[in-house]
Amino acid sequence: MRFDKLTETFARRVARGTSRRSLLALLGAGMTGAAAFPVLPVARAASSEGGHGAHPGGPARPAMASGLEQDPGDQASCDYWRYCAIDGFLCSCCGGSVNTCPPGTEMSPITWIGTCTNPADGRAYVISYNDCCGTSSCGQCLCNRNEGDRPQVRPQSNNDYNWCLGSQSSVYNCSVAAVIGVALEKAK
């Protein structure tokens, strides 16, 4: 009973001492400040590699090389040559590989494509980027490279769509990068 009386007294004092406009101004200032909060450099400072392949707070990953001379690079790093147009979590860090989805997920039949240059032979290859769907995002090895990315009016060359909409489950897990052929022109 005493708590109710104190709450009522406090509410009446606040109502007498402030106007609706000042309360709305205070709420507006708070919302504006809250909207500016995410632009602070906290997340970038926490990343170990400055964005490419970094997974803040995650353990350091050993290099995942294919072992083939004609396929150089670390498949768990954004700097891997096949990932020139990828956007998402790398399946090679999530229980799958550069070509296969992790267990319990399915590969979306819809894809976007990119053209990447293999540093081993200097040739350009057409890469099919497929999303693996069915379980929630693995949250490891986020990679966002937009080389050759096209506007969303050209969806076959845009990596910003949720390509899981073509599979049984629209829940995104990770992305693979499969070589589907040699490009006719050199990648730019």
Side-chain angles (χ1 to χ4, degrees):
M1 190 71 169
R2 181 170 164 83
F3 179 73
D4 291 338
K5 188 68 172 167
L6 285 173
T7 304
E8 179 184 355
T9 304
F10 176 74
R12 288 183 186 273
R13 278 191 192 153
V14 170
R16 267 187 249 130
T18 59
S19 68
R20 288 185 191 126
R21 286 185 181 164
S22 66
L23 180 63
L24 290 174
L26 184 65
L27 288 174
M31 288 176 25
T32 302
F37 187 73
V39 298
L40 295 175
V42 176
R44 289 187 295 275
S47 71
S48 60
E49 297 177 26
H52 285 320
H55 42 288
R61 295 201 164 276
M64 296 176 65
S66 68
L68 303 173
E69 187 176 314
Q70 63 272 20
D71 190 18
D74 179 5
Q75 296 177 357
S77 169
C78 278
D79 295 330
Y80 181 56
W81 71 274
R82 288 190 197 184
Y83 299 150
C84 71
I86 201 162
D87 183 5
F89 298 107
L90 305 179
C91 286
S92 54
C93 294
C94 301
S97 72
V98 72
N99 293 320
T100 60
C101 291
T105 63
E106 67 171 316
M107 190 176 292
S108 174
I110 304 172
T111 182
W112 76 95
I113 59 169
T115 305
C116 304
T117 302
N118 184 339
D121 60 9
R123 297 176 76 184
Y125 291 86
V126 178
I127 309 295
S128 172
Y129 297 102
N130 293 74
D131 287 344
C132 295
C133 317
T135 61
S136 62
S137 295
C138 78
Q140 297 182 33
C141 299
L142 178 62
C143 192
N144 185 11
R145 293 181 59 190
N146 297 313
E147 298 167 28
D149 193 24
R150 298 289 183 250
Q152 288 189 339
V153 295
R154 294 197 50 206
Q156 71 277 10
S157 299
N158 185 279
N159 64 10
D160 292 329
Y161 285 100
N162 178 359
W163 295 99
C164 287
L165 296 176
S167 61
Q168 288 183 352
S169 172
S170 63
V171 179
Y172 169 79
N173 181 266
C174 60
S175 299
V176 299
V179 175
I180 57 173
V182 179
L184 299 176
E185 295 180 19
K186 189 165 182 79
K188 296 179 182 178

